[in-house]
Amino acid sequence: MSTATAPASSTAHADALRALEARYGTPWSAPLPAWNETLDSLLAHRSVRNYADRPLPEGTLETLIAAAQSASTSSNLQTWSVVAIEDPERKARLAALAANQSQVREAPLFLVWLADLSRLEAAGQRTDTSIEGLHYLETLVVGMIDAALAAQNAVVALESLGMSAVYIGAIRNRPEQVAAELGLPPRVMPVFGMCVGYPDETRPAAIKPRLPQPVVLHREQYNVPSQVGEIAQYDEVTRAFQTSQGQSAAGWTARSLARWRSAESLHGRDRLRDALNALGFELR
């Protein structure tokens, strides 16, 4: 049964509008057919890189994993795993492998989410069953999607409990070294990391505006003509946000394209195919 309800008062309606306008950085004009606390939590998401020196309650990790395992998974294959790291020295080593990001060291809990084909391979070997399909790119993609769905469920859960998180894609900068640090068996890939903790209220994170809906929402068929003007408007919104955060006002287009300017811009991830081969993925 749905728990969604239309805003019951002008105050609730105003709160919903503020949440939507913060997410896009522009006025919201579409109707609000329903609203609830889940939507409040989802639209309030922000990447938090500063954490309070506060331990997580006992049972937090297990609760987050239960939420993660409640996510959809292709054909119930469950081709993901996660390694939880709380040891300060191991977090420091992983931070060094992930572009020296201080939040990896500072967060009380660091999770490394994995595309994991090793379980199915072992099951095939135990039962003398052909596992040729495991060696194709499609199966690795399934594992990566499974890991992402599970991780986002965990984020929704932890934010509902007053905690915050930030994804660490730089865990893929040096995947072989991360695999060695975590003792990963062959055919297991570190997809991304995630810092988890209580936000440092003295250094609050802001809600970053997203692309306008006409850029990402296409009805019936992909709509190319709407892109240019909407993205130009979004560049203005992004520049204003960047200025408010004390950043250079580069806009979304320039900053995004800079990420793909050259192989060096990938910070080691340009050799991901070689790294995957080293980790035991044949990628037929």
Short mmCIF file of all heavy atoms in Angstrom, two decimals, residues 215-270:
data_model
loop_
_atom_site.label_atom_id
_atom_site.label_comp_id
_atom_site.label_asym_id
_atom_site.label_seq_id
_atom_site.Cartn_x
_atom_site.Cartn_y
_atom_site.Cartn_z
N VAL A 215 16.23 17.67 -20.02
CA VAL A 215 17.48 17.13 -20.55
C VAL A 215 17.54 15.62 -20.37
O VAL A 215 18.07 14.90 -21.22
CB VAL A 215 18.69 17.80 -19.87
CG1 VAL A 215 20.01 17.17 -20.36
CG2 VAL A 215 18.70 19.30 -20.14
N VAL A 216 17.00 15.12 -19.27
CA VAL A 216 17.12 13.69 -18.97
C VAL A 216 15.82 12.93 -19.15
O VAL A 216 15.84 11.70 -19.27
CB VAL A 216 17.66 13.49 -17.52
CG1 VAL A 216 19.01 14.13 -17.35
CG2 VAL A 216 16.67 13.99 -16.48
N LEU A 217 14.70 13.61 -19.15
CA LEU A 217 13.39 12.96 -19.29
C LEU A 217 12.91 13.11 -20.73
O LEU A 217 12.67 14.22 -21.20
CB LEU A 217 12.37 13.59 -18.33
CG LEU A 217 10.92 13.15 -18.50
CD1 LEU A 217 10.77 11.64 -18.27
CD2 LEU A 217 10.01 13.94 -17.57
N HIS A 218 12.78 11.98 -21.40
CA HIS A 218 12.32 11.96 -22.79
C HIS A 218 11.01 11.17 -22.85
O HIS A 218 10.91 10.08 -22.31
CB HIS A 218 13.38 11.32 -23.70
CG HIS A 218 14.72 11.97 -23.58
ND1 HIS A 218 15.10 13.05 -24.32
CD2 HIS A 218 15.78 11.67 -22.77
CE1 HIS A 218 16.33 13.41 -23.99
NE2 HIS A 218 16.76 12.59 -23.04
N ARG A 219 10.04 11.72 -23.53
CA ARG A 219 8.73 11.09 -23.60
C ARG A 219 8.55 10.44 -24.98
O ARG A 219 8.59 11.15 -25.98
CB ARG A 219 7.63 12.10 -23.31
CG ARG A 219 7.74 12.72 -21.92
CD ARG A 219 6.63 13.72 -21.66
NE ARG A 219 6.81 14.41 -20.39
CZ ARG A 219 6.37 13.97 -19.21
NH1 ARG A 219 5.71 12.81 -19.16
NH2 ARG A 219 6.56 14.66 -18.11
N GLU A 220 8.39 9.15 -24.98
CA GLU A 220 8.18 8.34 -26.17
C GLU A 220 9.45 8.15 -27.00
O GLU A 220 9.82 7.04 -27.35
CB GLU A 220 7.07 8.91 -27.06
CG GLU A 220 5.76 9.18 -26.35
CD GLU A 220 5.14 7.94 -25.71
OE1 GLU A 220 5.47 6.82 -26.12
OE2 GLU A 220 4.32 8.12 -24.78
N GLN A 221 10.16 9.24 -27.36
CA GLN A 221 11.40 9.14 -28.09
C GLN A 221 12.40 10.17 -27.58
O GLN A 221 12.01 11.18 -26.98
CB GLN A 221 11.18 9.35 -29.60
CG GLN A 221 10.42 8.21 -30.28
CD GLN A 221 10.40 8.38 -31.79
OE1 GLN A 221 10.09 9.46 -32.30
NE2 GLN A 221 10.71 7.32 -32.50
N TYR A 222 13.68 9.90 -27.83
CA TYR A 222 14.75 10.80 -27.37
C TYR A 222 14.61 12.16 -28.05
O TYR A 222 14.47 12.26 -29.26
CB TYR A 222 16.11 10.19 -27.70
CG TYR A 222 17.26 10.79 -26.94
CD1 TYR A 222 17.75 10.18 -25.79
CD2 TYR A 222 17.87 11.96 -27.38
CE1 TYR A 222 18.81 10.74 -25.09
CE2 TYR A 222 18.93 12.52 -26.69
CZ TYR A 222 19.40 11.91 -25.55
OH TYR A 222 20.44 12.46 -24.85
N ASN A 223 14.67 13.21 -27.26
CA ASN A 223 14.46 14.57 -27.75
C ASN A 223 15.78 15.32 -27.75
O ASN A 223 16.25 15.77 -26.71
CB ASN A 223 13.43 15.27 -26.86
CG ASN A 223 13.09 16.67 -27.37
OD1 ASN A 223 13.61 17.12 -28.39
ND2 ASN A 223 12.22 17.34 -26.66
N VAL A 224 16.39 15.46 -28.93
CA VAL A 224 17.66 16.17 -29.04
C VAL A 224 17.50 17.69 -28.99
O VAL A 224 18.27 18.37 -28.31
CB VAL A 224 18.40 15.75 -30.33
CG1 VAL A 224 19.67 16.57 -30.51
CG2 VAL A 224 18.74 14.26 -30.29
N PRO A 225 16.52 18.28 -29.68
CA PRO A 225 16.48 19.75 -29.76
C PRO A 225 16.40 20.46 -28.41
O PRO A 225 16.86 21.60 -28.29
CB PRO A 225 15.21 20.01 -30.59
CG PRO A 225 15.05 18.79 -31.43
CD PRO A 225 15.50 17.66 -30.54
N SER A 226 15.82 19.83 -27.39
CA SER A 226 15.67 20.50 -26.10
C SER A 226 16.98 20.63 -25.33
O SER A 226 17.05 21.38 -24.35
CB SER A 226 14.65 19.75 -25.24
OG SER A 226 15.18 18.49 -24.84
N GLN A 227 18.00 19.91 -25.75
CA GLN A 227 19.20 19.82 -24.95
C GLN A 227 19.96 21.14 -24.82
O GLN A 227 20.33 21.55 -23.72
CB GLN A 227 20.13 18.76 -25.54
CG GLN A 227 19.53 17.37 -25.68
CD GLN A 227 19.62 16.57 -24.41
OE1 GLN A 227 20.66 16.55 -23.76
NE2 GLN A 227 18.55 15.92 -24.04
N VAL A 228 20.23 21.80 -25.94
CA VAL A 228 21.17 22.91 -25.94
C VAL A 228 20.72 24.05 -25.03
O VAL A 228 21.47 24.53 -24.17
CB VAL A 228 21.41 23.42 -27.37
CG1 VAL A 228 22.33 24.65 -27.35
CG2 VAL A 228 22.04 22.32 -28.22
N GLY A 229 19.50 24.51 -25.21
CA GLY A 229 19.02 25.63 -24.42
C GLY A 229 18.91 25.30 -22.94
O GLY A 229 19.27 26.13 -22.08
N GLU A 230 18.42 24.10 -22.64
CA GLU A 230 18.29 23.71 -21.23
C GLU A 230 19.65 23.59 -20.55
O GLU A 230 19.81 23.97 -19.39
CB GLU A 230 17.53 22.38 -21.14
CG GLU A 230 16.09 22.44 -21.59
CD GLU A 230 15.17 23.10 -20.57
OE1 GLU A 230 15.64 23.40 -19.45
OE2 GLU A 230 13.99 23.30 -20.90
N ILE A 231 20.63 23.05 -21.27
CA ILE A 231 21.96 22.91 -20.69
C ILE A 231 22.61 24.28 -20.50
O ILE A 231 23.31 24.51 -19.51
CB ILE A 231 22.83 21.98 -21.56
CG1 ILE A 231 22.31 20.55 -21.44
CG2 ILE A 231 24.30 22.05 -21.13
CD1 ILE A 231 23.02 19.55 -22.34
N ALA A 232 22.37 25.20 -21.43
CA ALA A 232 22.89 26.56 -21.26
C ALA A 232 22.33 27.20 -19.99
O ALA A 232 23.05 27.86 -19.22
CB ALA A 232 22.56 27.41 -22.48
N GLN A 233 21.03 26.98 -19.75
CA GLN A 233 20.42 27.50 -18.53
C GLN A 233 21.03 26.83 -17.30
O GLN A 233 21.29 27.48 -16.29
CB GLN A 233 18.91 27.27 -18.58
CG GLN A 233 18.18 27.73 -17.31
CD GLN A 233 16.70 27.39 -17.32
OE1 GLN A 233 16.18 26.92 -18.33
NE2 GLN A 233 16.04 27.60 -16.20
N TYR A 234 21.25 25.53 -17.41
CA TYR A 234 21.82 24.79 -16.28
C TYR A 234 23.24 25.27 -15.98
O TYR A 234 23.66 25.31 -14.82
CB TYR A 234 21.81 23.30 -16.58
CG TYR A 234 22.37 22.44 -15.47
CD1 TYR A 234 21.82 22.46 -14.19
CD2 TYR A 234 23.46 21.61 -15.71
CE1 TYR A 234 22.33 21.67 -13.19
CE2 TYR A 234 23.98 20.81 -14.70
CZ TYR A 234 23.41 20.84 -13.44
OH TYR A 234 23.93 20.05 -12.43
N ASP A 235 24.00 25.62 -17.01
CA ASP A 235 25.34 26.16 -16.78
C ASP A 235 25.28 27.41 -15.92
O ASP A 235 26.12 27.61 -15.04
CB ASP A 235 26.03 26.46 -18.12
CG ASP A 235 26.73 25.25 -18.71
OD1 ASP A 235 27.21 24.40 -17.93
OD2 ASP A 235 26.81 25.15 -19.94
N GLU A 236 24.27 28.25 -16.15
CA GLU A 236 24.12 29.45 -15.34
C GLU A 236 23.79 29.09 -13.89
O GLU A 236 24.34 29.66 -12.94
CB GLU A 236 23.03 30.35 -15.92
CG GLU A 236 23.38 30.97 -17.26
CD GLU A 236 24.60 31.87 -17.16
OE1 GLU A 236 24.72 32.61 -16.16
OE2 GLU A 236 25.45 31.82 -18.07
N VAL A 237 22.89 28.13 -13.71
CA VAL A 237 22.53 27.67 -12.36
C VAL A 237 23.76 27.09 -11.66
O VAL A 237 24.02 27.37 -10.47
CB VAL A 237 21.41 26.62 -12.43
CG1 VAL A 237 21.18 25.97 -11.07
CG2 VAL A 237 20.11 27.27 -12.93
N THR A 238 24.53 26.30 -12.39
CA THR A 238 25.70 25.66 -11.81
C THR A 238 26.76 26.68 -11.44
O THR A 238 27.42 26.58 -10.40
CB THR A 238 26.28 24.62 -12.78
OG1 THR A 238 25.26 23.70 -13.14
CG2 THR A 238 27.43 23.86 -12.14
N ARG A 239 26.97 27.68 -12.31
CA ARG A 239 27.95 28.71 -11.99
C ARG A 239 27.57 29.47 -10.71
O ARG A 239 28.43 29.78 -9.88
CB ARG A 239 28.11 29.67 -13.16
CG ARG A 239 29.01 29.12 -14.26
CD ARG A 239 29.37 30.20 -15.28
NE ARG A 239 28.31 30.40 -16.23
CZ ARG A 239 28.20 29.74 -17.40
NH1 ARG A 239 29.13 28.85 -17.73
NH2 ARG A 239 27.21 29.98 -18.22
N ALA A 240 26.28 29.75 -10.55
CA ALA A 240 25.83 30.42 -9.33
C ALA A 240 26.08 29.55 -8.11
O ALA A 240 26.52 30.04 -7.05
CB ALA A 240 24.35 30.77 -9.45
N PHE A 241 25.81 28.24 -8.24
CA PHE A 241 26.06 27.32 -7.12
C PHE A 241 27.54 27.27 -6.81
O PHE A 241 27.95 27.32 -5.63
CB PHE A 241 25.54 25.93 -7.46
CG PHE A 241 25.87 24.89 -6.44
CD1 PHE A 241 25.11 24.77 -5.28
CD2 PHE A 241 26.96 24.04 -6.60
CE1 PHE A 241 25.43 23.82 -4.31
CE2 PHE A 241 27.28 23.08 -5.65
CZ PHE A 241 26.51 22.98 -4.50
N GLN A 242 28.37 27.14 -7.83
CA GLN A 242 29.82 27.06 -7.61
C GLN A 242 30.34 28.31 -6.91
O GLN A 242 31.16 28.22 -5.99
CB GLN A 242 30.53 26.84 -8.94
CG GLN A 242 30.27 25.46 -9.54
CD GLN A 242 30.63 25.38 -11.01
OE1 GLN A 242 30.71 26.39 -11.71
NE2 GLN A 242 30.82 24.16 -11.52
N THR A 243 29.85 29.46 -7.31
CA THR A 243 30.25 30.71 -6.66
C THR A 243 29.85 30.72 -5.20
O THR A 243 30.62 31.13 -4.32
CB THR A 243 29.63 31.91 -7.40
OG1 THR A 243 30.09 31.93 -8.75
CG2 THR A 243 30.01 33.22 -6.72
N SER A 244 28.64 30.23 -4.90
CA SER A 244 28.16 30.19 -3.52
C SER A 244 28.99 29.27 -2.64
O SER A 244 29.04 29.44 -1.42
CB SER A 244 26.69 29.75 -3.47
OG SER A 244 26.55 28.36 -3.73
N GLN A 245 29.66 28.29 -3.27
CA GLN A 245 30.48 27.33 -2.53
C GLN A 245 31.96 27.71 -2.53
O GLN A 245 32.80 26.92 -2.09
CB GLN A 245 30.32 25.93 -3.13
CG GLN A 245 28.90 25.40 -3.10
CD GLN A 245 28.36 25.29 -1.69
OE1 GLN A 245 28.92 24.59 -0.84
NE2 GLN A 245 27.26 26.00 -1.42
N GLY A 246 32.27 28.90 -3.04
CA GLY A 246 33.65 29.34 -3.07
C GLY A 246 34.48 28.64 -4.13
O GLY A 246 35.72 28.60 -4.03
N GLN A 247 33.83 28.09 -5.16
CA GLN A 247 34.53 27.41 -6.23
C GLN A 247 34.61 28.30 -7.47
O GLN A 247 33.88 29.30 -7.57
CB GLN A 247 33.78 26.11 -6.60
CG GLN A 247 33.59 25.16 -5.44
CD GLN A 247 32.62 24.03 -5.77
OE1 GLN A 247 32.04 23.98 -6.86
NE2 GLN A 247 32.41 23.13 -4.83
N SER A 248 35.46 27.95 -8.39
CA SER A 248 35.52 28.68 -9.65
C SER A 248 34.25 28.43 -10.44
O SER A 248 33.76 27.29 -10.51
CB SER A 248 36.74 28.24 -10.47
OG SER A 248 36.65 26.86 -10.78
N ALA A 249 33.71 29.48 -11.04
CA ALA A 249 32.43 29.39 -11.72
C ALA A 249 32.62 28.87 -13.14
O ALA A 249 32.48 29.61 -14.12
CB ALA A 249 31.73 30.74 -11.72
N ALA A 250 32.92 27.58 -13.26
CA ALA A 250 33.19 26.99 -14.57
C ALA A 250 31.92 26.52 -15.27
O ALA A 250 31.90 26.39 -16.49
CB ALA A 250 34.14 25.80 -14.41
N GLY A 251 30.86 26.29 -14.52
CA GLY A 251 29.66 25.72 -15.11
C GLY A 251 29.77 24.22 -15.26
O GLY A 251 30.83 23.62 -15.08
N TRP A 252 28.64 23.61 -15.62
CA TRP A 252 28.61 22.15 -15.75
C TRP A 252 29.31 21.67 -17.00
O TRP A 252 30.08 20.71 -16.96
CB TRP A 252 27.15 21.67 -15.76
CG TRP A 252 27.02 20.19 -15.97
CD1 TRP A 252 27.18 19.21 -15.03
CD2 TRP A 252 26.72 19.52 -17.21
NE1 TRP A 252 26.98 17.96 -15.59
CE2 TRP A 252 26.71 18.13 -16.94
CE3 TRP A 252 26.46 19.96 -18.50
CZ2 TRP A 252 26.43 17.18 -17.92
CZ3 TRP A 252 26.18 19.02 -19.48
CH2 TRP A 252 26.18 17.64 -19.18
N THR A 253 29.08 22.31 -18.13
CA THR A 253 29.63 21.83 -19.40
C THR A 253 31.15 21.81 -19.36
O THR A 253 31.78 20.77 -19.65
CB THR A 253 29.14 22.70 -20.56
OG1 THR A 253 27.71 22.63 -20.64
CG2 THR A 253 29.74 22.21 -21.87
N ALA A 254 31.76 22.92 -19.02
CA ALA A 254 33.22 23.00 -19.03
C ALA A 254 33.83 22.04 -18.03
O ALA A 254 34.82 21.35 -18.32
CB ALA A 254 33.67 24.43 -18.75
N ARG A 255 33.25 21.98 -16.84
CA ARG A 255 33.84 21.10 -15.82
C ARG A 255 33.67 19.64 -16.19
O ARG A 255 34.56 18.82 -15.95
CB ARG A 255 33.20 21.39 -14.46
CG ARG A 255 33.82 20.61 -13.32
CD ARG A 255 33.55 21.25 -11.97
NE ARG A 255 34.24 22.52 -11.84
CZ ARG A 255 34.17 23.30 -10.74
NH1 ARG A 255 33.41 22.93 -9.72
NH2 ARG A 255 34.84 24.43 -10.67
N SER A 256 32.53 19.29 -16.77
CA SER A 256 32.31 17.89 -17.16
C SER A 256 33.24 17.48 -18.30
O SER A 256 33.81 16.39 -18.28
CB SER A 256 30.85 17.68 -17.56
OG SER A 256 29.98 17.92 -16.47
N LEU A 257 33.39 18.34 -19.29
CA LEU A 257 34.25 18.01 -20.42
C LEU A 257 35.71 17.89 -19.99
O LEU A 257 36.47 17.11 -20.57
CB LEU A 257 34.11 19.06 -21.52
CG LEU A 257 32.74 19.09 -22.23
CD1 LEU A 257 32.71 20.19 -23.28
CD2 LEU A 257 32.42 17.73 -22.86
N ALA A 258 36.08 18.66 -18.97
CA ALA A 258 37.47 18.58 -18.48
C ALA A 258 37.79 17.20 -17.93
O ALA A 258 38.95 16.77 -17.95
CB ALA A 258 37.71 19.65 -17.41
N ARG A 259 36.75 16.51 -17.46
CA ARG A 259 36.97 15.16 -16.94
C ARG A 259 37.37 14.19 -18.03
O ARG A 259 37.93 13.13 -17.75
CB ARG A 259 35.70 14.64 -16.26
CG ARG A 259 35.37 15.28 -14.93
CD ARG A 259 36.35 14.86 -13.84
NE ARG A 259 36.38 13.43 -13.66
CZ ARG A 259 35.58 12.76 -12.84
NH1 ARG A 259 34.67 13.41 -12.15
NH2 ARG A 259 35.70 11.44 -12.72
N TRP A 260 37.08 14.50 -19.29
CA TRP A 260 37.33 13.58 -20.40
C TRP A 260 38.29 14.18 -21.43
O TRP A 260 38.36 13.73 -22.55
CB TRP A 260 36.00 13.23 -21.08
CG TRP A 260 34.92 12.90 -20.10
CD1 TRP A 260 33.79 13.61 -19.87
CD2 TRP A 260 34.88 11.79 -19.19
NE1 TRP A 260 33.04 13.02 -18.87
CE2 TRP A 260 33.70 11.89 -18.44
CE3 TRP A 260 35.74 10.72 -18.93
CZ2 TRP A 260 33.34 10.99 -17.45
CZ3 TRP A 260 35.38 9.81 -17.95
CH2 TRP A 260 34.20 9.94 -17.23
N ARG A 261 39.06 15.19 -21.01
CA ARG A 261 39.93 15.89 -21.95
C ARG A 261 40.99 14.96 -22.54
O ARG A 261 41.35 15.07 -23.71
CB ARG A 261 40.61 17.07 -21.25
CG ARG A 261 41.51 17.90 -22.16
CD ARG A 261 42.22 19.01 -21.40
NE ARG A 261 41.28 19.93 -20.77
CZ ARG A 261 41.15 20.09 -19.45
NH1 ARG A 261 41.88 19.38 -18.61
NH2 ARG A 261 40.29 20.95 -18.97
N SER A 262 41.52 14.05 -21.74
CA SER A 262 42.60 13.19 -22.20
C SER A 262 42.61 11.92 -21.36
O SER A 262 41.89 11.81 -20.35
CB SER A 262 43.95 13.90 -22.05
OG SER A 262 44.23 14.14 -20.67
N ALA A 263 43.44 10.97 -21.75
CA ALA A 263 43.58 9.74 -20.96
C ALA A 263 44.08 10.06 -19.56
O ALA A 263 43.67 9.42 -18.58
CB ALA A 263 44.55 8.78 -21.67
N GLU A 264 44.95 11.07 -19.45
CA GLU A 264 45.48 11.43 -18.14
C GLU A 264 44.38 11.94 -17.21
O GLU A 264 44.48 11.82 -15.99
CB GLU A 264 46.57 12.50 -18.29
CG GLU A 264 47.87 12.01 -18.91
CD GLU A 264 47.74 11.72 -20.41
OE1 GLU A 264 46.83 12.30 -21.06
OE2 GLU A 264 48.54 10.91 -20.92
N SER A 265 43.32 12.50 -17.79
CA SER A 265 42.21 13.01 -16.98
C SER A 265 41.48 11.90 -16.23
O SER A 265 40.73 12.17 -15.29
CB SER A 265 41.21 13.76 -17.86
OG SER A 265 41.83 14.82 -18.55
N LEU A 266 41.70 10.67 -16.66
CA LEU A 266 41.04 9.53 -16.01
C LEU A 266 41.78 9.03 -14.78
O LEU A 266 41.32 8.13 -14.09
CB LEU A 266 40.87 8.39 -17.02
CG LEU A 266 39.97 8.70 -18.22
CD1 LEU A 266 39.97 7.53 -19.19
CD2 LEU A 266 38.57 9.01 -17.77
N HIS A 267 42.96 9.59 -14.51
CA HIS A 267 43.70 9.30 -13.28
C HIS A 267 43.95 7.81 -13.06
O HIS A 267 43.75 7.28 -11.97
CB HIS A 267 42.97 9.88 -12.07
CG HIS A 267 42.73 11.35 -12.18
ND1 HIS A 267 43.75 12.29 -12.14
CD2 HIS A 267 41.58 12.05 -12.37
CE1 HIS A 267 43.24 13.51 -12.28
NE2 HIS A 267 41.92 13.38 -12.43
N GLY A 268 44.37 7.14 -14.12
CA GLY A 268 44.68 5.72 -14.02
C GLY A 268 43.59 4.81 -14.52
O GLY A 268 43.84 3.63 -14.82
N ARG A 269 42.38 5.33 -14.64
CA ARG A 269 41.27 4.48 -15.07
C ARG A 269 41.27 4.24 -16.58
O ARG A 269 40.46 3.48 -17.09
CB ARG A 269 39.95 5.09 -14.62
CG ARG A 269 39.71 4.88 -13.12
CD ARG A 269 38.46 5.58 -12.65
NE ARG A 269 38.77 6.75 -11.85
CZ ARG A 269 37.86 7.55 -11.31
NH1 ARG A 269 36.58 7.29 -11.49
NH2 ARG A 269 38.22 8.60 -10.61
N ASP A 270 42.19 4.90 -17.30
CA ASP A 270 42.32 4.64 -18.73
C ASP A 270 42.83 3.23 -18.99
O ASP A 270 42.68 2.72 -20.10
CB ASP A 270 43.27 5.66 -19.36
CG ASP A 270 44.61 5.70 -18.67
OD1 ASP A 270 44.64 6.02 -17.46
OD2 ASP A 270 45.63 5.41 -19.32
#
